Amino acid sequence: MFLSGNYIEMKGYKIKIDSLLRSEFNILGEKSFIIGDSLRFKSIYTRDSSKSLGIQHPDYGYLERYSIETGNRVILKITSSTKDRIPIGMVLEAIQDSASNHNQEIKNLGLGRTLIIENLMENCKFNLSHFLIAPISHIMSDVGITYDFSTYITEIVDTKSKTPFSENTVLFVLGLLCKSGVKVYESKGKNIYDFQEIYDLSVI
């Protein structure tokens, strides 16, 4: 939480869980979003590098197919013919990481192929910073080492590189989810707003 001094004094210097609604991270540019629907992530990995989408799992090999579903609908599918959609999946790493913590199922499909299914529960809250930071832990450096946040930031400062995703990128991908029929909301203090009431989806 990020609370004003006046609020802390008013509460007699005692902070409780309901103070979360008075958090002012928005002053620092933070935003909070709620994914209203349950989501299912399906990733198929293979040991055959020739079928790789360019993403590697340390235990199961190369990503061959990837999809996101809600209910009985597929809202995103990435295969060898749609590899250009991979950045969309990367922006959603924060949601997939949370889904993995909620419920994960691993199935051996045989012939060196593995299916991982991860399920996100309804009404999960994510901060903008989650979306910006989560992909970093899935990026490999030039020497084959997975980044953590501090080493990644150090490298982009040293090389004067840009971060791969921005706030606008995150908003664009959340807009895609919204247009696909997923309930997306922005939380501002005690109030919750429908994503499409705040942002213009006609440009997506």
Side-chain angles (χ1 to χ4, degrees), residues 40-203:
R40 181 181 303 107
F41 295 82
K42 291 184 176 180
S43 307
I44 296 180
Y45 291 90
T46 177
R47 295 295 180 183
D48 185 349
S49 60
S50 67
K51 297 180 179 179
S52 173
L53 295 178
I55 295 173
Q56 189 172 358
H57 191 288
D59 298 321
Y60 304 112
Y62 305 92
L63 184 65
E64 179 184 352
R65 296 175 66 87
Y66 176 88
S67 65
I68 303 176
E69 303 172 0
T70 182
N72 296 320
R73 294 183 296 110
V74 176
I75 59 175
L76 176 67
K77 181 184 289 185
I78 302 175
T79 64
S80 58
S81 61
T82 55
K83 291 175 67 172
D84 59 318
R85 298 177 183 171
I86 287 176
I88 296 173
M90 293 183 67
V91 171
L92 298 174
E93 287 283 4
I95 299 179
Q96 187 172 357
D97 287 347
S98 184
S100 179
N101 290 330
H102 289 180
N103 181 274
Q104 185 186 73
E105 185 179 358
I106 301 174
K107 297 182 178 181
N108 185 346
L109 301 178
L111 300 177
R113 299 172 78 234
T114 304
L115 168 64
I116 301 178
I117 302 173
E118 295 152 321
N119 294 291
L120 181 80
M121 297 184 294
E122 298 176 353
N123 299 317
C124 290
K125 187 174 183 180
F126 300 90
N127 290 334
L128 173 63
S129 56
H130 294 153
F131 289 101
L132 297 175
I133 293 173
I136 292 172
S137 63
H138 298 270
I139 297 174
M140 299 289 285
S141 70
D142 293 338
V143 294
I145 298 173
T146 303
Y147 286 108
D148 59 30
F149 184 64
S150 61
T151 56
Y152 182 79
I153 293 301
T154 299
E155 180 165 315
I156 64 172
V157 169
D158 289 346
T159 61
K160 296 181 173 59
S161 302
K162 294 182 178 180
T163 55
F165 304 118
S166 66
E167 176 182 344
N168 287 338
T169 308
V170 173
L171 293 176
F172 179 82
V173 172
L174 290 177
L176 287 177
L177 285 185
C178 196
K179 290 192 78 169
S180 298
V182 177
K183 295 174 186 175
V184 181
Y185 307 96
E186 183 168 343
S187 172
K188 296 185 177 184
K190 296 181 179 180
N191 300 314
I192 296 175
Y193 302 91
D194 195 312
F195 188 88
Q196 57 190 347
E197 292 178 359
I198 301 176
Y199 301 100
D200 181 10
L201 301 189
S202 65
V203 297

